[in-house]
Amino acid sequence: MQAIWHAYADPLLRFLQRLSQGRQHLAEDLLQETLMRAWRHIDNLPDDVESLGPWLYTVARRVAIDAARARQVRPTEIAFSDTGREPVAADMFDSVVAAQVIRGALPRLNPEHRMVLVELYLRQHSTREAALRLGIPEGTVKSRVYYALRALSAIVGAAE
């Protein structure tokens, strides 16, 4: 493993920096994952370190692609500048108004969508718990939530 590190760490890091658009910390993480995969397969790799280049670069490229796909799936993180701020009356008023609007819109949803939203958001059950309580698969719960939120958004948007 030390021979692999000495021969390929720097070139792989430069390669991964290009793939990660110059983000050093991300390239280092990708390099670490690439070398971890090499470590996991060390018994299956040839003894000739010089012949490992194509395999390592392929693994590195795939690791970078997987990481990019994972970042696309995750929602964008939002940094809050003042997390210690207490809600003011206007914030509380907005919350009450929003709750009233949603309560008025819920009966307009079809029963399957309404039941899923009630289980997840009002009763604060997990997807698994909601699926068990409703007697449907977890995937169906997720699908219904997606479409229920879209329908609720359309109803609330039309009411404004």
Side-chain angles (χ1 to χ4, degrees):
M1 197 61 209
Q2 285 181 344
I4 294 172
W5 171 262
H6 290 296
Y8 290 104
D10 289 336
L12 277 173
L13 182 60
R14 286 191 298 275
F15 174 71
L16 289 167
Q17 281 177 318
R18 286 193 306 273
L19 293 180
S20 63
Q21 298 159 343
R23 291 180 281 186
Q24 179 72 22
H25 67 283
L26 178 58
E28 290 170 354
D29 289 345
L30 296 174
L31 175 64
Q32 181 178 5
E33 179 60 29
T34 301
L35 293 175
M36 284 298 297
R37 291 186 186 186
W39 174 258
R40 287 185 200 122
H41 297 283
I42 197 78
D43 294 335
N44 301 329
L45 296 175
D47 292 334
D48 181 24
V49 174
E50 302 304 319
S51 66
L52 290 177
W55 184 82
L56 283 169
Y57 280 96
T58 299
V59 170
R61 185 176 55 81
R62 288 180 180 167
V63 166
I65 289 169
D66 290 347
R69 285 180 181 157
R71 282 191 307 276
Q72 289 174 349
V73 172
R74 274 188 233 126
T76 306
E77 294 181 15
I78 300 172
F80 291 103
S81 59
D82 186 13
T83 57
R85 184 177 79 89
E86 292 294 321
V88 294
D91 291 340
M92 294 167 69
F93 178 77
D94 290 342
S95 297
V96 170
V97 170
Q100 287 298 98
V101 169
I102 291 172
R103 269 194 206 102
L106 275 176
R108 296 176 56 193
L109 293 174
N110 71 40
E112 292 85 16
H113 290 162
R114 183 174 48 252
M115 288 188 315
V116 168
L117 290 179
V118 167
E119 289 297 322
L120 291 176
Y121 294 104
L122 297 179
R123 294 186 180 144
Q124 296 182 347
H125 290 132
S126 68
T127 305
R128 172 175 279 165
E129 292 168 336
L132 290 173
R133 290 179 58 89
L134 297 172
I136 57 177
E138 285 184 60
T140 304
V141 170
K142 293 175 184 179
S143 175
R144 285 185 185 172
V145 166
Y146 173 79
Y147 289 109
L149 291 175
R150 287 185 66 187
L152 188 62
S153 177
I155 291 169
V156 169
E160 292 177 350

